[in-house]
Amino acid sequence: MLYNLLAEEGSGFNAGTIVPIVIIVVILVAFFVWSFISQKRKQKNFEETVHSIRPGNKVTTIGGVMGEVVEVNTEEGTFVLRTGTSDEANCSYMKFDMQAIYKTDAKPEEEPAKGGAAASEEPFEEVPAAQAEDTPAEEKAEGDAAEKTEEK
């Protein structure tokens, strides 16, 4: 195809031969951009998962070692993994770099919904109909104090 382009020196500009090359170049550029964005997203998800590791999580390392995390050191970027059975006589402890994590049961912490109340917050209390009316604040305070003394 490129040979044909070079062979047609005197014929001038021919758009019919350039269009397929441009289409292929555009497709390749789109593929590389999509691949780059996908890789960044995977890297971000991996970093969030690694930073959510806590003692008690199950981890498999890239070397195939499976165990339970007993200690995490975020300053050094390491964690201690307990392998073997649950009794102290048959288990061993190994220290790994955080980047050695292949798979884990830890889930990244989700951010609370924006604009709304978080699930852990208490709902608003309903105001009794007697207080909902437009009464001065002093009268409401006196009414609250009287209700508290009646309850006791």
Side-chain angles (χ1 to χ4, degrees):
M1 180 185 252
L2 189 58
Y3 178 75
N4 291 338
L5 286 174
L6 295 174
E8 298 177 13
E9 294 175 15
S11 65
F13 180 73
N14 188 355
T17 57
I18 300 291
V19 171
I21 294 173
V22 170
I23 290 173
I24 291 172
V25 168
V26 167
I27 289 172
L28 286 174
V29 168
F31 174 75
F32 285 121
V33 167
W34 176 76
S35 177
F36 179 75
I37 291 171
S38 176
Q39 185 64 29
K40 284 289 189 184
R41 187 178 306 128
K42 286 180 184 178
Q43 182 69 24
K44 182 181 175 188
N45 289 341
F46 175 76
E47 291 295 325
E48 288 175 355
T49 302
V50 165
H51 291 300
S52 67
I53 297 287
R54 302 285 179 254
N57 289 126
K58 305 285 185 202
V59 169
T60 302
T61 66
I62 56 176
V65 179
M66 298 179 354
E68 182 180 341
V69 176
V70 292
E71 181 183 335
V72 177
N73 187 342
T74 56
E75 292 175 2
E76 292 180 3
T78 61
F79 65 96
V80 177
L81 192 66
R82 182 177 69 202
T83 62
T85 59
S86 60
D87 60 342
E88 288 294 320
N90 294 328
C91 70
S92 61
Y93 295 90
M94 293 183 260
K95 188 175 187 179
F96 289 96
D97 187 38
M98 291 292 234
Q99 299 300 318
I101 295 173
Y102 174 67
K103 177 167 71 164
T104 182
D105 66 349
K107 302 290 182 204
E109 297 153 0
E110 296 184 21
E111 298 177 9
K114 294 180 181 177
S120 63
E121 293 180 7
E122 294 182 22
F124 294 105
E125 294 180 21
E126 290 187 28
V127 178
Q131 290 182 0
E133 299 173 7
D134 293 328
T135 56
E138 294 172 6
E139 291 178 14
K140 285 183 183 179
E142 291 173 2
D144 291 341
E147 288 177 10
K148 288 181 183 178
T149 55
E150 291 176 3
E151 291 176 2
K152 293 180 183 179

